[in-house]
Amino acid sequence: MSEQEPVEGAAPRGPLRVFLVDDHAMFRAGVRAELGTRVEVVGEASSVAEAVARIAATQPDVVLLDVHMPDGGGRAVLEAMRRTHPQVKFLALSVSDAAEDVIGLIRAGARGYVTKTISPEELTDAIRRVADGDAVFSPRLAGFVLDAFASRPDAPVADPELDQLTNREREVLRLLARGYAYKEIAKELFISIKTVETHVSNVLRKLQMSNRYELSRWAADRRLV
């Protein structure tokens, strides 16, 4: 992939400033190495709290954002940053191509979503396009999302009941609906069983339900499982 080509008559633009958010240090190192000098990587973070603080400090053009992290994931970063730093663009980079992950991140404010199978050249192009204001999806993922919307023409754009849950509560709800025991949920999300119990209690209260079976049916009806 060639370096950025100047546009005739336009002021030259320096390398795009990119920030990496992923809880796996080896993956971040790999992305940084593959991007090389195509962009300027101005910072990294492995958690939501670290990402929010360091993105605010570095003011990157584009944030490459992992979807699932132990302390809340990409959606939590977006929800914390989008109002205070609207100039920063977010491009999700994930192993997941699940519809709920894609739609959730786009609704939260991400400008694009690509999977980790993307080539370095394609990722560089996606970063530039997102920085320029385009929406970017991997070709297969774009088709998948269109199919998902086409099969649910009456699906509401907003879901007030779902929107009242925090990102962590949604993760707990999804695993609970899939049949995970509290102990398994705690292990999957790197939290204590007591914390899982607290999240389940909060979800039940917010959705005005009395047990996990009602929650499972509710989640299945919304294709959250």
Side-chain angles (χ1 to χ4, degrees):
M1 188 72 176
S2 62
E3 301 296 331
Q4 282 184 274
E5 297 180 358
V7 177
E8 186 176 354
R13 184 171 71 178
L16 287 172
R17 303 174 72 253
V18 175
F19 193 97
L20 308 179
V21 180
D22 194 292
D23 58 323
H24 293 98
M26 289 186 66
F27 178 78
R28 297 198 307 273
V31 172
R32 179 192 284 270
E34 292 290 351
L35 289 175
T37 59
R38 298 180 176 95
V39 301
E40 179 186 4
V41 177
V42 296
E44 301 178 8
S46 61
S47 68
V48 172
E50 185 182 14
V52 170
R54 298 201 63 197
I55 291 170
T58 55
Q59 299 284 319
D61 297 306
V62 176
V63 176
L64 290 182
L65 187 63
D66 192 13
V67 176
H68 295 289
M69 293 186 290
D71 62 340
R75 182 166 181 145
V77 177
L78 275 162
E79 291 174 344
M81 301 299 300
R82 62 182 178 181
R83 292 181 182 174
T84 56
H85 297 78
Q87 77 283 5
V88 178
K89 306 293 197 307
F90 290 84
L91 172 62
L93 177 60
S94 175
V95 296
S96 171
D97 62 359
E100 62 267 27
D101 289 334
V102 179
I103 295 171
L105 264 291
I106 296 304
R107 286 178 60 188
R111 293 294 305 175
Y113 194 114
V114 296
T115 60
K116 290 182 176 178
T117 58
I118 193 170
S119 72
E121 292 78 14
E122 291 171 332
L123 180 58
T124 304
D125 182 62
I127 291 169
R128 289 174 180 165
R129 291 169 58 195
V130 165
D132 288 339
D134 292 342
V136 177
F137 296 93
S138 300
R140 189 183 74 81
L141 202 59
F144 176 79
V145 174
L146 289 173
D147 289 345
F149 277 107
S151 65
R152 301 177 62 190
D154 298 327
V157 174
D159 187 329
E161 288 187 305
L162 183 62
D163 287 345
Q164 67 182 315
L165 303 182
T166 66
N167 190 60
R168 178 61 90 189
E169 288 168 351
R170 294 181 190 209
E171 292 178 327
V172 171
L173 169 62
R174 183 177 297 111
L175 295 176
L176 195 70
R178 289 176 179 173
Y180 283 51
Y182 284 11
K183 181 179 180 181
E184 295 171 321
I185 295 174
K187 183 178 180 181
E188 182 74 15
L189 299 179
F190 303 98
I191 57 180
S192 70
I193 295 177
K194 183 66 176 177
T195 301
V196 173
E197 292 173 347
T198 299
H199 286 310
V200 173
S201 176
N202 289 338
V203 172
L204 288 169
R205 175 178 51 78
K206 289 180 178 180
L207 298 181
Q208 298 183 347
M209 296 179 187
S210 58
N211 57 61
R212 64 178 298 169
Y213 302 106
E214 290 183 57
L215 282 178
S216 296
R217 286 198 299 272
W218 185 88
D221 288 343
R222 285 163 171 76
R223 303 184 182 185
L224 300 176
V225 180

